[in-house]
Amino acid sequence: MMMSYIDAFIDRITMYRLVLYYLVATLGAAFVLGLFHVSRVDPTALAFSTIVILGACWVANELFARVFRVVPNIESVYITGLILALIVDPVTASDMRGVGVLVFISTWAMGSKFLLAINRKHLFNPAAFAVALSALAIDAPATWWVAGDQALMPVVIVGGLLLTRKLRRFDLVLSFMAANLAVVVLTSAPADYLQSLQITLQHSPFFFFAFVMLTEPLTAPQSRVWRMVYGAMVGILSAPSFAIAGYYLTPELALLAGNLLTFAVGPRGRVPMTLDRIEKAASSAYDFVFRTDRQLAFAAGQYLEWTLDVARPDNRGNRRYLTIASAPTENEVRLGVKFNPAGSAFKRGLAAMKPGDTIVGAQLAGSFVLPANRDEKLVFIAGGIGITPFRSMLRYLIDKGERRDIVVLYGNARAEDIAYADVLEEARDELAIDTIYVVQDAATARPGMEVGLINAALIQREVPYFRERTFYISGPQPMVAAMRKTLRHMGVRPTRIKTDFFPGLA
């Protein structure tokens, strides 16, 4: 029961907000344990240092944002500041040099996002860059004190696992851990294996570094293969016994080297977009159609992280991962969104947009795309506004005149909730791709529509040779999970089930 509540809570908040809660919980635990002398940290110094760091980060970020004329993201300020508070030794108000170091590190952490950026995308993890610079420039290295405090280890590990689950980045974290521990073992004498592993696991930044620093989304690769390469590379370079030409890299330097790999293999930069018009796609669903200064290169079905200037963001922040509803063949970028009365601050801000207003897209990614093999038989299962990636794919196929064996199953509460019926009908007429519409409210059903839910009986009836097909599922998370379970019970292999996923979308 407790796990179900935890899962529901994690699913409702964005990834950035979960990171923020995790860092606050870790700092709070350190403060309380310090009060009772269970932790080695001085709670007064920790509180003072955290305030100094957060204040310096906020001021620096505001100044840089105004100079560079970009939308500041307050969540990232707090996240970076709290990370610095956990890895830089706390100081007291009487330690003027220590206070100066905190301000120096905080300023450069924020400044690196603006000064060391290409197409408005920062190259390096801000916290890693700042502490690496402080070590080299003013001889003030990070101590990673949170990693060496055994009393905090349960909080670090449990919270880190929840964060990794939310991100679905276990491949990245495990590749880092495996590579790091392998180097530790291979460079140790057989008699010292256990001791070397114990030191690495208990007295190095191993867990906190992997869960928090390594998974930072803007500076980590998005594709699974490159994530694993990235994790292994950073794991090897950050191993305490690994040296290059006699030099041992600190964890932050290893991460910066990995960030360069991300830049080399990842999409370039942030894309400012100007709202051209708003179109009604269905009941309570609208398409926001944007124009860009440069052509956005993407694969049909991929997503972007959308950042909107929200005056008062709620606990879900001012960023969202949302599918691009337009096709690569179109000259505009289309975002399909469903609104409800209890919508988030982000959606309220989106609803208030007028033609000429701007939004920023970044972190183009996603493997929920058409297979390279055009002969592969497919089934698209969509729930509600989850039809957006399929709209992108079908529009692309129509524009290319490319025929594929596809069956679309599209479920909604009511007939008026159906979105992109024009594209679905065009796909039927031009490419012989049939759509089976399923609605729960029988009173709104139109002739030819199914009433109820998309279930095993419907699939068996409407999809010939379903075990030979690959199923793509997109929609609300409960619906996606239920459909995946249904397909597994029907004998569909896991490798033939693809689900749409946004890291951090609640």
Side-chain angles (χ1 to χ4, degrees):
M1 182 64 71
M2 179 61 70
M3 283 305 299
S4 64
Y5 283 123
I6 293 175
D7 288 343
F9 172 74
I10 291 175
D11 288 338
R12 288 196 64 220
I13 61 176
T14 64
M15 175 268 297
Y16 292 105
R17 193 51 57 98
L18 182 60
V19 174
L20 192 60
Y21 291 160
Y22 169 51
L23 296 173
V24 169
T26 306
L27 274 168
F31 181 82
V32 172
L33 293 173
L35 286 176
F36 291 96
H37 306 291
V38 176
S39 171
R40 64 179 184 174
V41 71
D42 177 355
T44 303
L46 178 60
F48 173 77
S49 297
T50 302
I51 293 172
V52 170
I53 290 172
L54 290 177
C57 284
W58 187 87
V59 171
N61 189 73
E62 286 294 318
L63 291 175
F64 280 115
R66 292 185 181 185
V67 170
F68 286 86
R69 297 181 180 179
V70 299
V71 178
N73 190 293
I74 197 63
E75 274 185 321
S76 67
V77 174
Y78 294 147
I79 289 172
T80 300
L82 294 175
I83 290 174
L84 292 175
L86 287 163
I87 65 177
V88 178
D89 259 348
V91 301
T92 60
S94 60
D95 183 358
M96 297 309 298
R97 183 184 185 278
V99 173
V101 169
L102 296 184
V103 173
F104 177 89
I105 291 175
S106 302
T107 302
W108 275 105
M110 296 297 103
S112 68
K113 298 192 299 180
F114 300 88
L115 299 172
L116 301 176
I118 296 179
N119 292 330
R120 299 189 178 187
K121 177 183 178 182
H122 58 266
L123 301 180
F124 300 113
N125 180 289
F129 177 83
V131 296
L133 182 64
S134 69
L136 296 172
I138 59 176
D139 192 27
T143 60
W144 296 85
W145 64 266
V146 66
D149 197 322
Q150 297 302 297
L152 291 176
M153 192 66 70
V155 179
V156 170
I157 293 177
V158 173
L161 289 172
L162 292 176
L163 177 60
T164 306
R165 176 190 174 280
K166 173 71 174 180
L167 282 167
R168 298 189 187 180
R169 291 295 182 262
F170 281 106
D171 51 2
L172 169 59
V173 171
L174 291 176
S175 63
F176 163 82
M177 291 181 172
N180 189 276
L181 295 178
V183 172
V184 169
V185 170
L186 293 174
T187 55
S188 301
D192 297 330
Y193 285 165
L194 292 179
Q195 183 180 11
S196 297
L197 290 174
Q198 182 181 14
I199 292 173
T200 300
L201 295 174
Q202 295 183 357
H203 302 285
S204 80
F206 185 79
F207 289 108
F208 185 82
F209 182 82
F211 292 138
V212 177
M213 306 289 283
L214 191 70
T215 56
E216 200 265 334
L218 281 175
T219 54
Q222 296 297 321
S223 72
R224 181 173 183 177
V225 172
W226 282 115
R227 283 200 305 265
M228 296 179 70
V229 172
Y230 171 77
M233 172 185 170
V234 177
I236 292 170
L237 294 178
S238 63
S241 52
F242 182 81
I244 299 177
Y247 291 95
Y248 295 87
L249 297 183
T250 59
E252 56 267 25
L253 286 175
L255 186 59
L256 296 182
N259 293 161
L260 292 176
L261 172 67
T262 300
F263 173 75
V265 303
R268 299 291 189 264
R270 293 155 59 89
V271 182
M273 290 177 270
T274 303
L275 181 63
D276 183 70
R277 64 189 185 277
I278 301 174
E279 299 175 356
K280 188 168 184 177
S283 174
S284 302
Y286 295 84
D287 267 12
F288 291 76
V289 185
F290 298 92
R291 60 180 185 272
T292 60
D293 293 335
R294 59 188 175 92
Q295 185 70 26
L296 182 65
F298 64 98
Q302 288 191 304
Y303 60 80
L304 280 172
E305 181 195 60
W306 305 75
T307 301
L308 185 63
D309 188 7
V310 178
R312 294 183 178 179
D314 55 17
N315 67 350
R316 301 170 89 184
N318 68 334
R319 293 186 277 193
R320 287 290 187 281
Y321 287 92
L322 296 168
T323 299
I324 304 169
S326 50
T329 48
E330 296 179 284
N331 295 323
E332 55 198 19
V333 179
R334 187 178 291 262
L335 172 63
V337 181
K338 184 175 179 63
F339 294 90
N340 58 69
S344 64
F346 177 91
K347 286 193 175 181
R348 291 196 298 271
L350 197 63
M353 290 187 74
K354 307 293 184 203
D357 291 345
T358 60
I359 196 169
V360 176
Q363 296 194 71
L364 174 68
S367 57
F368 195 76
V369 297
L370 290 165
N373 181 8
R374 297 184 181 184
D375 295 326
E376 188 171 348
K377 299 176 181 179
L378 309 175
V379 179
F380 293 166
I381 301 180
I385 200 62
I387 193 67
T388 50
F390 302 132
R391 191 266 180 204
S392 177
M393 295 177 191
L394 294 173
R395 182 73 263 171
Y396 173 79
L397 295 176
I398 293 168
D399 291 343
K400 289 291 187 179
E402 183 179 315
R403 287 180 171 267
R404 297 203 185 203
D405 188 342
I406 301 173
V407 177
V408 181
L409 305 178
Y410 185 18
N412 283 282
R414 302 169 302 168
E416 51 264 38
D417 295 328
I418 294 172
Y420 310 126
D422 56 336
V423 176
L424 295 170
E425 297 306 309
E426 190 175 353
R428 181 198 62 196
D429 296 338
E430 299 290 331
L431 305 177
I433 295 175
D434 288 330
T435 297
I436 292 87
Y437 298 97
V438 184
V439 296
Q440 297 176 42
D441 187 351
T444 67
R446 299 166 192 161
M449 291 184 177
E450 299 286 337
V451 177
L453 298 171
I454 301 174
N455 53 29
L458 177 71
I459 294 172
Q460 290 170 342
R461 185 174 71 250
E462 299 292 345
V463 182
Y465 308 106
F466 66 87
R467 290 192 183 91
E468 299 177 3
R469 294 178 178 266
T470 298
F471 287 78
Y472 283 63
I473 313 171
S474 176
Q477 187 59 34
M479 170 262 182
V480 172
M483 286 309 312
R484 183 181 181 88
K485 184 177 180 180
T486 296
L487 292 172
R488 291 292 295 118
H489 285 165
M490 293 172 64
V492 179
R493 298 198 303 270
T495 55
R496 288 191 173 274
I497 303 174
K498 291 183 175 292
T499 58
D500 203 5
F501 166 70
F502 309 139
L505 174 63

